Amino acid sequence: MKHTARRAFVTALFVGALAFASAPASAQNVTVVVNGQVMSFDQAPVMVNNRVFVPMRAIFERLGSSVSYANGNINAQGNGRSVHLAIGSLNASVNGNPLTMDVAPFLVNGRTEVPLRFVAQSLGANVTWNGNTSTVYIGTSGNNNTSTPQPYATQTPSYQSFYLNNEHPANGATVKTTHPKIHATFSQQVDLNSLHVSVDGNDVTSLVYTNASGFDVTPGFALNPGSHNVNVTGTTSNGASFNTGWTFYTSNTATGTAQNYIVNVSPAPNTRTGSSFTLSGRTLPNSQIHIVATGTSTIGGLFQIGTGTFQSDVTADSNGNFNVPISLNVLGGGQIRVILTSVSPNGASVENQVVYSV
């Protein structure tokens, strides 16, 4: 029995060694950022089969877990979860639920290397990969989320080809509002029917305004001061699945800080416009205004169909005035819904919605 176990362990080490043999000495100078802080490792991350690997103990402990290693078995406890991996094995478990990874842990220079994304997600963290800067962003909410992560698909990892851009609030940023506008653009087009967005585990998909290149949503609930996780899942137009997100922080608006507003909107809400018009209004000076307009047309007086989405970003002038031309292909009898979100230089955010008939 001991000889059998020893042979199995040696085989696992051999498999891990083969995997590492094809890996470069470093993972393209990958940077790992956890809750806004850059991690340092005594052994640089490595890339195997397009997966980032890091030293076992450093990442588990940084994510608030204790970890033990014996005879090729890795066992970790933390954040209300138990995680088990084994050197050279694609089999893993989280809270006793079996999962299959697409890459296996291995040894290099006497150190145990584990797949970063799998470990982080198994412990309830959100992971975002920025291919432009070779940076992995990890965000933890501090909540004991006991759901089981989805098993890895045996394909080129989606986070290497799909990622989010222009996140707002930015990853690791702090905003002074309890109702922030959440926005991101996609690195490639997505299947809109597959898109799901959640904030702190609460599904907000029904509130999302989206097109194939990005989305906007303002949660229908207040976000208490602290860290908040945005999770975005779905499939691209090419059928590749993705599961990504980011973390930002909210704080109370400082005493004496002006609350934001949007007033003097023209055309006046609930009036008739053409399918192309200029929207204007006033907000706090130098605020950033994000506009999302969606159009619907009625066919035969019975059926409503979407006619597209318009998005734009403008900056209010020193008096707070702004204007933006909007153009949508909406037939007579249709409707245009506009969402305006203004974020002042001090971070105060406000959102207004207006509806027009065409």
Side-chain angles (χ1 to χ4, degrees):
M1 185 68 176
K2 291 183 179 179
H3 291 293
T4 302
R6 186 178 297 112
R7 283 195 297 271
F9 180 51
V10 171
T11 300
L13 292 179
F14 180 67
V15 171
L18 287 179
F20 181 65
S22 62
S26 65
Q28 305 170 355
N29 296 319
V30 165
T31 301
V32 179
V33 180
V34 179
N35 293 335
Q37 296 184 344
V38 177
M39 284 195 66
S40 60
F41 300 95
D42 56 5
Q43 184 161 283
V46 294
M47 188 84 80
V48 176
N49 294 336
N50 293 321
R51 293 290 192 192
V52 176
F53 281 73
V54 295
M56 169 193 75
R57 190 167 300 280
I59 188 60
F60 273 112
E61 293 182 349
R62 180 64 181 82
L63 295 177
S65 298
S66 60
V67 61
S68 62
Y69 175 87
N71 298 323
N73 290 297
I74 303 164
N75 292 289
Q77 298 277 343
N79 301 326
R81 300 185 177 211
S82 61
V83 181
H84 172 77
L85 305 91
I87 296 295
S89 175
L90 299 179
N91 296 320
S93 68
V94 178
N95 291 344
N97 298 304
L99 298 173
T100 301
M101 302 181 293
D102 54 3
V103 287
F106 57 84
L107 295 174
V108 58
N109 297 330
R111 303 295 300 278
T112 302
E113 300 285 321
V114 293
L116 176 59
R117 174 174 282 265
F118 181 85
V119 167
Q121 290 184 333
S122 295
L123 294 172
N126 285 325
V127 181
T128 303
W129 166 258
N130 188 327
N132 294 327
T133 60
S134 295
T135 302
V136 182
Y137 292 98
I138 300 175
T140 62
S141 65
N143 297 324
N144 289 331
N145 183 351
T146 57
S147 60
T148 301
Q150 295 296 313
Y152 275 43
T154 55
Q155 60 182 22
T156 301
S158 58
Y159 72 91
Q160 292 292 328
S161 58
F162 177 90
Y163 49 88
L164 300 174
N165 288 314
N166 304 314
E167 298 96 328
H168 178 84
N171 188 73
T174 299
V175 292
K176 299 175 182 179
T177 177
T178 57
H179 290 83
K181 180 265 294 184
I182 296 172
H183 165 79
T185 58
F186 307 134
S187 63
Q188 56 183 279
Q189 291 193 339
V190 305
D191 176 1
L192 300 184
N193 293 322
S194 72
L195 184 69
H196 288 275
V197 180
S198 64
V199 178
D200 296 339
N202 299 292
D203 191 343
V204 296
T205 305
S206 64
L207 303 175
V208 167
Y209 288 83
T210 186
N211 57 27
S213 60
F215 75 90
D216 293 85
V217 64
T218 299
F221 51 89
L223 302 184
N224 295 326
S227 63
H228 302 282
N229 292 329
V230 181
N231 186 242
V232 184
T233 64
T235 58
T236 68
S237 57
N238 295 324
S241 62
F242 58 86
N243 183 342
T244 186
W246 77 96
T247 298
F248 65 92
Y249 302 85
T250 59
S251 66
N252 291 319
T253 303
T255 302
T257 299
Q259 296 291 325
N260 208 346
Y261 54 84
I262 299 175
V263 297
N264 300 340
V265 174
S266 179
N270 302 313
T271 58
R272 187 174 296 277
T273 69
S275 59
S276 298
F277 60 96
T278 296
L279 181 73
S280 62
R282 186 166 61 86
T283 184
L284 281 179
N286 304 312
S287 292
Q288 296 293 318
I289 302 100
H290 183 70
I291 298 98
V292 180
T294 56
T296 56
S297 292
T298 302
I299 304 299
L302 296 175
F303 303 103
Q304 284 194 335
I305 61 171
T307 56
T309 302
F310 170 92
Q311 297 191 47
S312 183
D313 292 278
V314 296
T315 302
D317 64 21
S318 58
N319 294 315
N321 297 313
F322 66 89
N323 64 79
V324 59
I326 294 176
S327 181
L328 287 165
N329 185 24
V330 182
L331 301 176
Q335 186 181 82
I336 295 177
R337 180 182 299 272
V338 183
I339 299 177
L340 303 95
T341 306
S342 175
V343 181
S344 71
N346 62 31
S349 176
V350 66
E351 177 182 288
N352 276 10
Q353 296 190 36
V354 293
V355 177
Y356 299 107
S357 300
V358 178

